[in-house]
């Protein structure tokens, strides 16, 4: 397609909005009284990430956690006075960035008053802003119109474990309507951000209880990790990934859940393909899977509510 036509198409799609089935569509707030919504979200998010670039990884992870529990309904954002909400669950202990969503929402409330914009919409839009800024991925559409959930329960925060094998991970993802490719592509988010030493300590120091390390890890990488994580250290943070999208194929996946992607023919094939093509399709695939992730269990129409404040139900 000629560039001119492509541009025309983009403009056209931008104007009419693209329907993705259901009640979500691109440009939702352009027709629902807050045309500047996406701009505001981007602006506030950029401002935060500019000051603290590590928030980008934190926000992506938060979005993933939100979507995996009760769907992308902002339930992870809800606080409970009794500390029994999703965000109080163990995997949530290291989630950060709640203040970004809270600020985005309050700015939107002052610019477009009357509770028009849901917290889940803020979170979805913010995810794109974050990824563009951090991963410099390609443009992708953000269909909006999600509503917010009213339930957040610690007992439901069953997220995939960093110690899980690929069979279990595939099942975890399939349960959310995500396929094997989504699993391997989205795990690529682990090229940014940090993890605490406590989660990898056994892997590098005492894998089978004999003072050994996981043979699925590159021995040179083990040496490097040992420098950064002392045996009893559970708090220091290490970079998720020392290199790039090739990390897993070089046996430098930080978690067992990353390394195990080499154990399955389908995930392995995808990884080998990316290595051969030097990650050529990765950004595009990542965007596609991110959009798909944003559709998991969404609430639309009369379901749920539009929250006043992201950290509490109305
Ligand atoms: C496949 C299953 C997954 C498992 C088992 C998993 C597990 C983890 C764990 C254990 C951490 C470190 C937490 C800590 O230090 O306490 C982490 C961090 C992170 N995860 Fe995942 N994750 C998975 C999928 C994803 C997906 C789908 C995304 C996003 C699309 C994602 C994005 C991130 C990011 C960006 C960080 C770094 C957070 C930061 O720097 O604060 N993860 N993940
Ligand atoms: C959370 O779920 C548990 C188990 O289903 C239930 O017993 C509890 O009442 C729920 N808590 C809240 C606050 O809804
Ligand atoms: C993967 O983990 C599950 C759950 O721990 C276990 O039941 C299963 O046997 C494991 N599969 C393989 C191939 O190791
Ligand atoms: C390694 O693991 C074994 C078995 O779990 C345990 O007995 C031993 O104390 C551990 N060694 C270290 C240095 O933590
Ligand atoms: C960031 C956050 O909300 N962390 C919570 C995780 O759970 C603990 C224990 O319940 C809370 O104290 C934290 O505030």
């Amino acid at each position: 397609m000629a560039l001119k036509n492509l541009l025309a198409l983009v403009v056209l799609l931008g104007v009419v909005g693209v329907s993705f089935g259901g009640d979500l569509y691109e440009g939702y707030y352009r027709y629902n009284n807050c045309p500047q919504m996406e701009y505001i979200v981007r602006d506030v998010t950029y401002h935060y990430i500019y000051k603290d670039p590590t928030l980008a990884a934190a926000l992506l992870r938060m979005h993933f956690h939100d979507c995996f529990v009760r769907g992308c309904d902002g339930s992870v954002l809800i606080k409970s006075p009794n500390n029994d909400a999703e965000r109080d669950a163990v995997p949530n202990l290291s989630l950060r960035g709640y203040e970004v969503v809270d600020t985005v929402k309050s700015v939107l409330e002052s610019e477009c008053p009357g509770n028009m914009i849901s917290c889940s919409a803020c979170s979805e839009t913010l995810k794109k802003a974050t990824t563009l800024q951090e991963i410099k991925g390609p443009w992708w559409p953000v269909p909006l119109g999600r509503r917010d959930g009213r339930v957040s329960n610690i007992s439901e925060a069953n997220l995939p474990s960093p110690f899980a094998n690929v069979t279990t991970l595939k099942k975890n993802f399939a349960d959310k309507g995500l396929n094997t490719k989504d699993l391997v592509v989205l795990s690529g988010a682990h090229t940014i951000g940090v993890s605490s030493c406590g989660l990898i300590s056994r892997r590098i120091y005492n894998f089978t209880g004999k003072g050994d390390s996981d043979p699925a890890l590159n021995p040179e990488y083990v040496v490097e990790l040992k420098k950064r994580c002392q045996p009893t250290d559970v708090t220091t943070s290490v970079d998720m990934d020392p290199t790039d999208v090739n990390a897993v194929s070089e046996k430098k996946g930080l978690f067992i859940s990353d390394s195990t992607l080499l154990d399955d023919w389908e995930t392995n094939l995808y990884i080998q393909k990316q290595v051969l093509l030097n990650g050529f399709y990765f950004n595009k695939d990542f965007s596609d899977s991110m959009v798909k992730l944003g559709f998991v269990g969404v609430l639309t129409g009369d379901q749920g509510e539009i929250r006043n404040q992201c950290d509490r139900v109305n």
Side-chain angles (χ1 to χ4, degrees), residues 94-168:
S94 56
L95 280 191
R96 298 175 300 125
Y98 291 99
E99 69 281 11
V100 184
V101 192
D102 290 341
T103 306
V104 162
K105 171 74 178 173
S106 69
V107 172
L108 283 172
E109 203 45 45
S110 64
E111 296 282 322
C112 303
N115 257 0
M116 296 191 300
I117 296 151
S118 66
C119 296
S120 40
C122 293
S123 172
E124 179 68 20
T125 312
L126 184 157
K127 175 181 77 177
K128 174 179 173 182
T130 308
T131 311
L132 289 182
Q133 190 170 356
E134 200 54 31
I135 304 185
K136 313 236 174 340
W139 178 89
W140 79 81
V142 179
L144 293 172
R146 292 165 187 69
R147 291 166 63 86
D148 297 324
R150 295 181 42 83
V151 177
S152 181
N153 190 323
I154 191 169
S155 72
E156 294 180 346
N158 300 317
L159 289 144
S161 158
F163 305 102
N165 62 38
V166 67
T167 315
T168 303

Side-chain angles (χ1 to χ4, degrees), residues 24-250:
L24 301 188
Y25 53 91
E26 234 224 308
Y28 185 90
Y29 295 103
R30 245 173 284 159
Y31 311 104
N32 291 280
N33 307 325
C34 192
Q36 69 273 43
M37 182 265 181
E38 291 180 44
Y39 173 79
I40 294 170
V41 177
R42 220 175 307 149
D43 200 46
V44 175
T45 310
Y46 272 35
H47 182 76
Y48 271 97
I49 295 178
Y50 180 76
K51 279 195 297 188
D52 177 4
T54 70
L55 275 174
L59 287 164
L60 279 191
R61 180 166 180 243
M62 184 194 284
H63 188 270
F64 164 59
H65 282 211
D66 182 29
C67 294
F68 252 62
V69 185
R70 291 193 159 263
C72 312
D73 68 343
S75 53
V76 73
L77 305 170
I78 295 173
K79 268 189 198 156
S80 159
N82 312 317
N83 289 337
D84 58 0
E86 274 172 44
R87 65 193 272 173
D88 300 307
V90 177
N92 278 351
L93 282 171
S94 56
L95 280 191
R96 298 175 300 125
Y98 291 99
E99 69 281 11
V100 184
V101 192
D102 290 341
T103 306
V104 162
K105 171 74 178 173
S106 69
V107 172
L108 283 172
E109 203 45 45
S110 64
E111 296 282 322
C112 303
N115 257 0
M116 296 191 300
I117 296 151
S118 66
C119 296
S120 40
C122 293
S123 172
E124 179 68 20
T125 312
L126 184 157
K127 175 181 77 177
K128 174 179 173 182
T130 308
T131 311
L132 289 182
Q133 190 170 356
E134 200 54 31
I135 304 185
K136 313 236 174 340
W139 178 89
W140 79 81
V142 179
L144 293 172
R146 292 165 187 69
R147 291 166 63 86
D148 297 324
R150 295 181 42 83
V151 177
S152 181
N153 190 323
I154 191 169
S155 72
E156 294 180 346
N158 300 317
L159 289 144
S161 158
F163 305 102
N165 62 38
V166 67
T167 315
T168 303
L169 292 170
K170 279 168 78 168
K171 171 146 194 346
N172 293 156
F173 273 62
D175 287 347
K176 306 293 166 190
L178 299 169
N179 62 27
T180 307
K181 183 179 166 195
D182 299 319
L183 165 64
V184 59
V185 169
L186 291 175
S187 296
H190 289 167
T191 50
I192 62 168
V194 293
S195 155
S196 46
C197 287
L199 290 168
I200 56 162
S201 191
R202 277 194 59 133
R203 248 195 131 192
I204 56 176
Y205 284 110
N206 205 4
F207 188 61
T208 62
K210 294 181 195 144
D212 53 351
S213 56
D214 185 346
L217 274 178
N218 179 320
E220 287 162 36
Y221 187 44
V222 172
V223 171
E224 208 177 297
L225 290 174
K226 281 181 173 173
K227 283 187 207 151
R228 289 188 270 166
C229 293
Q230 297 309 306
T232 52
D233 178 359
V234 292
T235 48
T236 304
S237 291
V238 287
D239 272 345
M240 282 294 232
D241 183 326
T243 49
D244 51 25
V245 287
N246 292 340
V248 172
S249 70
E250 291 165 1

Side-chain angles (χ1 to χ4, degrees), residues 298-311:
V298 293
L299 303 175
T300 57
D302 307 329
Q303 297 168 319
E305 64 181 14
I306 309 266
R307 250 176 251 154
N308 256 314
Q309 263 178 274
C310 292
D311 63 2

